[in-house]
Each structure stands twice: as structure tokens, then as C-alpha cells.
Amino acid sequence: MMKVNRQTAWLAHARKIAERVASKRDEMSDLGDDELRARIQASADRIKSASDEGKALDLELVDVYATVCVAAKRAIGLSPYDVQIIGAVALHEGAIAEAKTGEGKSLMAAMPSILHALTGRGSHVVTVNPYLAERDSENIGSIARFLGLTVGCVLPGMGNVTRRDAYACDITYVSNTELGFDWLRDNMVVDARQMVQRGLVYAIVDEADSILIDEAKTPLIISGMGKDVSLLCERIDAVVSKLEKGTESRPFNRAEAMIGVERVETGDYIVHERERNVILTSQGIAKIEAALGIENYADAKNRSIQHAVEQSLQAHALFRRDKDYIVRGGKVLLVDQNTGRTMEGRQYSDGLHQAIEAKEHVAVSSVNETIGTTSYQNFFRKYEVLSGMTGTAWTEHSELWDTYRLRVRVIPTNRPMIRVDEPDRLYDTAAHKHEAVVKRIQEALEKGRPVLVGTASVEESEVVSGYLRRAGIEHQVLSAKQDEHEAEVVAKAGIHGTVTVATNMAGRGTDIVLDDEARKAGGLLVIGCEKHEDERIDNQLRGRSGRQGDPGTSAFYISMEDRVMRLYGAQRFAKGVRMAGATDETGRVVLRSVMRAIRTVQKRVALDNWAMRRDTLAYDDINDAQRERIYAERRAILAKEDVTEQMRYAMAHAIKHIARTVKPDELGGAFEALTGIKFEHRLCDEKGRLYNGADDMLVLEAEKAAKAMEFTDDDIRKSYTRRCLLVAIDSAWAEQLRALEFCRNAVGYSGYGQMDPKAAYGIEAYDLYGRMLDMVYAAAVFTFFAQRPDRKAETTVDGMDVKLKSGKDMVV
């Protein structure tokens, strides 16, 4: 009740602001175009000169929003409804605006994006794909351009200069992946001029639940040059493909496995689909040893083989073609499970992608080394003000608040919603379900209604398409295989008598507009062929019908053989379904107790997924603390004109560290190995004890040698020193990421020792960080002296050629 009252109170507050905006809009309707631009410029001047930027934005909101409303009518022929202004208030305040499909969220975002752009520090509108970013920047962005603001759009394939120009605009439209990867790349440059972003100030995230919740399970990873593993992957695939799937007498349990509880297994491997892992049996291990000619599969020297086998087993047992990925043009392309689109340029990590390529008999790509990574949660929390909009967010309001401190504001519809949402229909088999779907489509077509059939995978779309073809029903298909034609396909979906089969309609971004005949026939019929793991995705499919007060119907047809039912409900419901009278002659389950029970399935799945995201974030919070310190150090080095003092500090730290860790009589040799400098004086007394200040003498010797290094001019010296530091940081951080990943996998067993795995990870990560810093300083000093101009005629620093002329001149 408290939450409802809070929502009601906020809505009353937002309505008052919307009324003031509407009144001001009417007053300004007769102003000339130049007068509108002058008002925007005046607001910008007041905001930029204010001592409190947030307060200034609040004060200017009504005037700016009213100006945008008038400009929108002139620029694109649309004026925001009052409910859109209410949503724009929520976006300004840093909240998630839940507005139903078809309520005009893109236009809603124009008001706050323009308002925050007046700070002069940039405003980002984040979309789920580049197509929507380009579309909205051209269409909605024309309102900002009409008012004299600049609008940029970041698209795949753009060069650094073009990207920098786009981010330098007042408003930038960009997809979440491009935005995140640009941030990572900016934190890996070796010259500040290579950076493209200018800060994370204000963002509006479109389809916020998809990006902030669903995408949170997948980290952003930047990879460097890797190694060729094609022969290994193909050899392992040839072995694994011949293994047979088995069964087990009792479900797998790590604790029982640790104490040796006996389990009877058959076959070569056991699949735990719900837990997403595959376990080799003793029989399977024996087959692998025989096939690969190794004595002991578990031996540490076979670690690379073990890893390749594990990834190959997952590729064969858990990842399905036309569901998790498709093969196009001889390449494996991942399918976004939330939108059904292919994800160009994305790969599964840790060798899994290469295992799938070997399974599909396409060219196996190199395994790349991770050199930068972050989670979407930690990335978006870096914005000073974060907001978002979507059609479905309230069901996740607790997670959005816990993770991002974002409140969800439910925005009323412009016209009353009259769509009919029918109860779910459950069938005993997938075949009976598909037959019922075809029959329902035929009934709808007889009335002239358009039909949208939503599926959860490309594979399911093709199955449904096959049933429709056999029934002689013309239809169009939208999936990862046809996603380049998506706007055209979706636009036709509201024409009377058409049937559209679509994989995951979340984030499609194009409204389905009904023609008059379709509206008279009862509007769009939406049929869901399978429940998703999250109820929000189902609600997004329902929301394609009934936009702006249109008539419509939604219905879900599900079966006991569907993935979600099979993994989370089959055992519970199977007994009830087998009872006499539980199904009718069509295979539909009519037992009410079973129908009531399945409503809890998605809630269980949603809780499991939330727990997974919460754990992922908890571990990444530890990583992020290290990431921020490393990236802050990089930015400081890039910002300084001369980093000689940082190099001196690195020398002192590295030399004093070896003085503490090596034997006294070995210190001179260790110093020479680090710097290449032979120290001619004694460092120990007759008893082998270090003289007091011996380490300080070595530091002075290193500084003296550094000063003596000759460069053509001072700029080259500065550039060389900076690159040595950056190379050291980047190589050490890449190694740290591998160590943290290994640590993350290892701490899972610490729970059996009565210790919280996350606490164990935090302790180990802290120790690893200290060791990494020692590595950074040592590597910086080693690179500085080993590549010095008087030593070498040509070398490479951070992948860039550094040419030395006459042993002295260096061109960077």
C-alpha cells in the first residue's frame, strides 16, 4: 500500500508540472522559430552560469519542455501528450518511466535529453541496437537540431575521429554495446587524443529493463591478439562428438561429491541443463584418454586439454544452433536471447566460441586474451544521472532500486487500454500446442484479424512456420536470420489478414500500426508460443497489441515440453497431467490445480536469475574497485605533460621491493636484471648483511642512468616514458584479469569450509592486487631501460613501432 501511495503522490506532483508545461506551451505557440532558439540559448546560459547545476535544471524544466513541445510540432509534426510530459519529468528526475508500447517513448525522451544537453556536458540516449540509435537520431534528433543543438549518432564501423565528433555533440544517440566498448577502449589508449568520450553525465536508457537487467548477465569484454587453437579444438571436437550422453541415479550435488556419496552413472557425460554444466563420467574420461593417447586426464600438465574438453562438451550439450547462435557466411553469430537479433562482433569467451565453431565445422578463430572488461551494472552506475524508459519495469522495481538506485514511475496511458489478455492455455505436448495455435490463427484470419506469433527462439519460429506452411497459411518470419528486414516486416504486421512469426519482440522499436479493416475486425491477435524465463518478456510481447487504445487480444499457448516448463515444472506437474481427465481431446490441460501451479514457475526462474545477477555484481564490485584505481592511474598519466616523477616512483618502488624479497648477496644481480645496470660497489658487509641505505644507492644509480639517456628532444623523452608506464599497466592488468577469473572459479568450494565465497574472493583479490602493483612497477622500469635508445636500433612499445635513428633518435 505504501508503494501505491508513493506512486500516486509522485503522479500528482508530475501532473502539476505537466499542466504548467502545457500552459506555457500554449503561450509560446505563436513565437517564431528564432525566438524559440533564443529561449533555449537563454536557458542554457542560466544553467551553465549557475552554482548548483541540478537546481538550475529544475528551474528551467517547464520553460525548456514547453519550448521542445512547440518545436516538436514544427520539426516532426508531433506534439507530446500530457502523459509523455509526465514521463519526461520522471526521466529528468533520474527514474525509470514505465510507459506502455505505442505511447511514444522516443518523443518523451526528447524533452529531458535536450534539457540536460544545455549543461554543455553532453546527454546520451542509449538504445538496444544501432538501428534504433540511427533512426531516433534522424527523426527525434531533428527537434534538437531545429532548436540549434547538435546531435550525433555512434554506429559500428565508425573511426575514432567520427566517434569523437558524435560524442562531442549536445545529444548523442548510441547503442549500449557501442557505448560500453567505447568506454573500455578509452581506458586503454596510449594517447589522450585517442579518447572519444568526454564523460558520463546524463543518460536515458531505452528498453531499460532489457539493458539494465537482461544484459547484466553478460559482461563487456575487450580482447587483444590471441593464439591459434584450431588444431586443438578440431581434434577435441572429433573426440567429444563421439561421446554418448548418460544418466545419473541422483541429482548432482557438489557437497555430496566432495564427501564421496555414491552415484550410479551411465554414458560418457551427464548434462545438468538447469545449472548449465556438463560432467564427464569415468567411462567418458577413459574414452578421452584412449582417443588422445594420454595416461592421466586429471594430470596438471593436461590442463589445456581439460579446458578444451569442457568447452567442447558445453558446445555440444548446452548450446543449440538456431537458438543460441546461427551460422551465416561460414561464421558463428550469437543470437541475443532478449531481442532475437544477431550480435555482430560478439563472441563467447574462454574458448567456448571456438568450440562451437569446431562443432559446426567452420573456420576456428583465434582465442583472444581479455585485456579489459566490465559489467553493465557497474558501467551504468558511473553516470552522474541515470534514467530509463520501457514498457515493462515494475516487476523488477526492487532489483532496479537495489542495483542502480532507480525508482520506477508507472506512466498512465494516453487512452484507456482495452486489450483482452486471455488465460494461458497449457497442452501436454508441443505438437498439440502447435495444432491449437494453427487452429486459432485460422479462426482469426476468417475474421480478417492480423496475427503476431511470438516465439522464444529461431528454432521455434521455424517449427511454427512449418506448421503454417502445411496448413496453407501465408505468413512472414522475423528472426535472427532475417533481422536486416525487421522494420519492413514489423510495419506490415498490423495489416488485416496478415500473419507474422517473430522471435522475441523485446526492443524491436517499431510500432505495429493497424489499418482500418484490422481495427474493425478486433485488432491484433498476439499469440505467445512459449513462456520466457522472465514474465517481463511475455508482457512486452502482449504490449504489441492494444497500443493507443486500439482493440486487441493476447493469448499464450504453452506445453509441458517447453524449456521453462521442462526445467522448472515438469516433475511437479507431470503426475497431475497423467491423471485421467486432466486433458481434453485436443491435449489441452484442464486440471485447474496444474494451471494454478504453473503461474509460480516464472517467479522461481526470475528469482534464480536475480540471484545470479546479484552474485555477478557482488564479484564485479570487487573487480570494479581495482578497475577504477587502475583506470584513474592511466588517466592521470595521460593527463600529465611530463610523467618523469611517476617513473622515478616506479624505480624506487621496484628496487626497494627486490631489496626486500631477494637474498642480500643476490641483490646486485637482481638489480642488473631489472635495469641492465651493473652496480660496481659492494652492497653487503662481510657477514652478508645489506648495508643501511643500499636500496637507496641503487635507486640513485637508476635515476642517474635514466638522466643520462639521450633523446632527440624532450617531447620524445616524455612520450617514451609515458608509453613505458602505460604498457606496464596494461600488461599487468590483463594478467590480473586472468588471475581474478581463475580465483572466481576456485572460491566456489570455500563454502564447504564454512567461508563465504565472496568474502574469500575479496581477500584473494586484494592480495592479487598488491602483487599486480609490484609487477607494474617492475615492468615499467624493465621496459624503460631495456628499450632505451642507446641500446637498440628498433623496438616495439604497446604494439607500435618505435624506430631509433643512430641509436638515439626515437620517432613515436
Side-chain angles (χ1 to χ4, degrees), residues 746-810:
V747 297
Y749 291 100
S750 60
Y752 304 121
Q754 304 301 310
M755 186 173 187
D756 180 5
K758 288 185 282 294
Y761 180 77
I763 294 169
E764 184 63 25
Y766 179 81
D767 291 341
L768 287 170
Y769 186 77
R771 279 176 257 171
M772 181 198 68
L773 289 181
D774 294 333
M775 185 190 303
V776 168
Y777 298 127
V781 174
F782 179 83
T783 303
F784 183 78
F785 284 106
Q787 310 291 350
R788 65 184 190 242
D790 59 344
R791 268 282 190 88
K792 218 171 180 185
E794 185 173 321
T795 185
T796 299
V797 176
D798 195 31
M800 298 181 65
D801 287 338
V802 178
K803 299 185 183 298
L804 309 176
K805 299 177 183 177
S806 305
K808 294 181 180 179
D809 296 352
M810 179 170 63

Side-chain angles (χ1 to χ4, degrees), residues 162-201:
T162 312
R163 284 176 184 270
R164 190 183 306 113
D165 291 345
Y167 282 116
C169 290
D170 297 310
I171 301 172
T172 304
Y173 287 84
V174 56
S175 68
N176 58 307
T177 50
E178 292 295 316
L179 180 68
F181 283 128
D182 281 338
W183 181 81
L184 280 174
R185 282 189 287 263
D186 273 0
N187 282 289
M188 295 163 60
V189 300
V190 294
D191 188 321
R193 291 170 296 183
Q194 296 172 336
M195 299 177 73
V196 298
Q197 293 181 347
R198 55 173 174 148
L200 305 178
V201 182

Side-chain angles (χ1 to χ4, degrees), residues 664-678:
D665 59 349
E666 297 175 355
L667 179 55
F671 176 72
E672 185 176 358
L674 176 68
T675 63
I677 303 168
K678 188 171 181 62

Side-chain angles (χ1 to χ4, degrees), residues 422-664:
E422 297 178 355
D424 297 339
R425 293 168 171 81
L426 175 64
Y427 291 82
D428 54 355
T429 67
H432 283 146
K433 173 187 73 173
H434 291 131
E435 289 166 1
V437 167
V438 170
K439 183 179 179 182
R440 181 67 183 276
I441 291 172
Q442 289 171 329
E443 293 172 355
L445 292 178
E446 289 174 3
K447 299 176 182 177
R449 297 184 70 176
V451 181
L452 172 65
V453 183
T455 68
S457 67
V458 177
E459 181 183 44
E460 174 71 1
S461 286
E462 294 185 347
V463 170
V464 172
S465 179
Y467 272 88
L468 293 175
R469 281 198 305 272
R470 288 189 289 275
I473 298 175
E474 291 187 11
H475 61 283
Q476 51 188 352
V477 178
L478 176 60
S479 70
K481 291 185 175 180
Q482 298 87 21
D483 55 6
E484 64 270 22
H485 305 299
E486 95 172 28
E488 178 186 348
V489 173
V490 174
K492 294 179 180 177
I495 299 173
H496 66 284
T498 61
V499 178
T500 306
V501 180
T503 303
N504 287 344
M505 285 299 294
R508 288 291 175 186
T510 304
D511 285 337
I512 297 175
V513 181
L514 302 179
D515 60 17
D516 290 337
E517 292 90 337
R519 194 172 285 106
K520 291 173 183 175
L524 180 67
L525 168 63
V526 169
I527 297 177
C529 278
E530 187 174 343
K531 288 284 189 178
H532 290 76
E533 290 192 355
D534 198 307
E535 185 182 1
R536 286 181 298 105
I537 311 298
D538 295 337
N539 289 339
Q540 288 168 359
L541 177 60
R542 291 186 195 276
R544 294 294 158 179
S545 178
R547 64 181 295 280
Q548 284 293 324
D550 282 341
T553 308
S554 73
F556 273 82
Y557 288 69
I558 56 181
S559 82
M560 294 296 298
E561 295 176 354
D562 294 347
R563 182 179 181 275
V564 172
M565 296 298 297
R566 181 165 45 80
L567 295 184
Y568 290 88
Q571 292 179 342
R572 179 181 301 180
F573 310 141
K575 185 177 179 180
V577 171
R578 286 195 298 266
M579 292 174 57
T583 59
D584 62 16
E585 65 279 2
T586 67
R588 181 178 176 182
V589 176
V590 294
L591 198 64
R592 290 186 177 181
S593 59
V594 174
M595 291 304 298
R596 283 195 301 268
I598 67 169
R599 296 189 185 101
T600 65
V601 169
Q602 281 180 310
K603 292 180 180 178
R604 290 178 56 205
V605 179
L607 288 173
D608 285 353
N609 287 337
W610 186 4
M612 288 171 56
R613 290 190 294 268
R614 194 169 55 235
D615 278 352
T616 298
L617 180 59
Y619 285 107
D620 193 63
D621 280 343
I622 297 169
N623 293 2
D624 195 58
Q626 298 188 10
R627 184 185 302 120
E628 278 300 305
R629 292 178 67 179
I630 286 293
Y631 287 169
E633 182 64 24
R634 281 188 106 268
R635 288 191 292 269
I637 291 171
L638 288 169
K640 281 184 176 290
E641 182 183 351
D642 190 348
V643 291
T644 300
E645 285 304 315
Q646 279 84 348
M647 182 56 76
R648 282 179 182 158
Y649 180 83
M651 289 178 189
H653 187 286
I655 292 168
K656 288 177 180 292
H657 175 70
I658 62 172
R660 290 193 304 270
T661 54
V662 305
K663 294 178 181 178

Side-chain angles (χ1 to χ4, degrees), residues 37-195:
R37 296 180 190 114
R39 293 187 74 98
I40 285 292
Q41 185 58 53
S43 291
D45 293 341
R46 287 191 290 270
I47 292 169
K48 291 173 183 175
S49 62
S51 57
D52 186 334
E53 184 178 272
K55 187 174 182 181
L57 287 168
D58 291 340
L59 292 173
E60 296 296 326
L61 183 147
V62 171
D63 202 66
V64 171
Y65 277 22
T67 306
V68 173
C69 288
V70 177
K73 184 67 175 177
R74 297 181 189 179
I76 62 174
L78 297 173
S79 184
Y81 301 124
D82 287 353
V83 291
Q84 288 173 299
I85 298 173
I86 291 172
V89 172
L91 295 176
H92 161 67
E93 294 177 351
I96 300 289
E98 180 182 277
K100 300 299 182 187
T101 300
E103 291 295 308
K105 291 186 284 292
S106 297
L107 180 57
M108 179 193 300
M111 290 173 272
S113 64
I114 290 174
L115 173 63
H116 282 262
L118 302 184
T119 63
R121 299 195 295 146
S123 177
H124 294 168
V125 180
V126 187
T127 65
V128 292
N129 61 68
Y131 161 74
L132 293 178
E134 186 173 25
R135 184 201 69 179
D136 288 351
S137 69
E138 292 175 357
N139 184 23
I140 304 300
S142 62
I143 302 171
R145 284 188 285 267
F146 178 87
L147 291 171
L149 301 180
T150 56
V151 179
C153 179
V154 178
L155 297 171
M158 280 183 169
N160 264 26
V161 174
T162 312
R163 284 176 184 270
R164 190 183 306 113
D165 291 345
Y167 282 116
C169 290
D170 297 310
I171 301 172
T172 304
Y173 287 84
V174 56
S175 68
N176 58 307
T177 50
E178 292 295 316
L179 180 68
F181 283 128
D182 281 338
W183 181 81
L184 280 174
R185 282 189 287 263
D186 273 0
N187 282 289
M188 295 163 60
V189 300
V190 294
D191 188 321
R193 291 170 296 183
Q194 296 172 336
M195 299 177 73

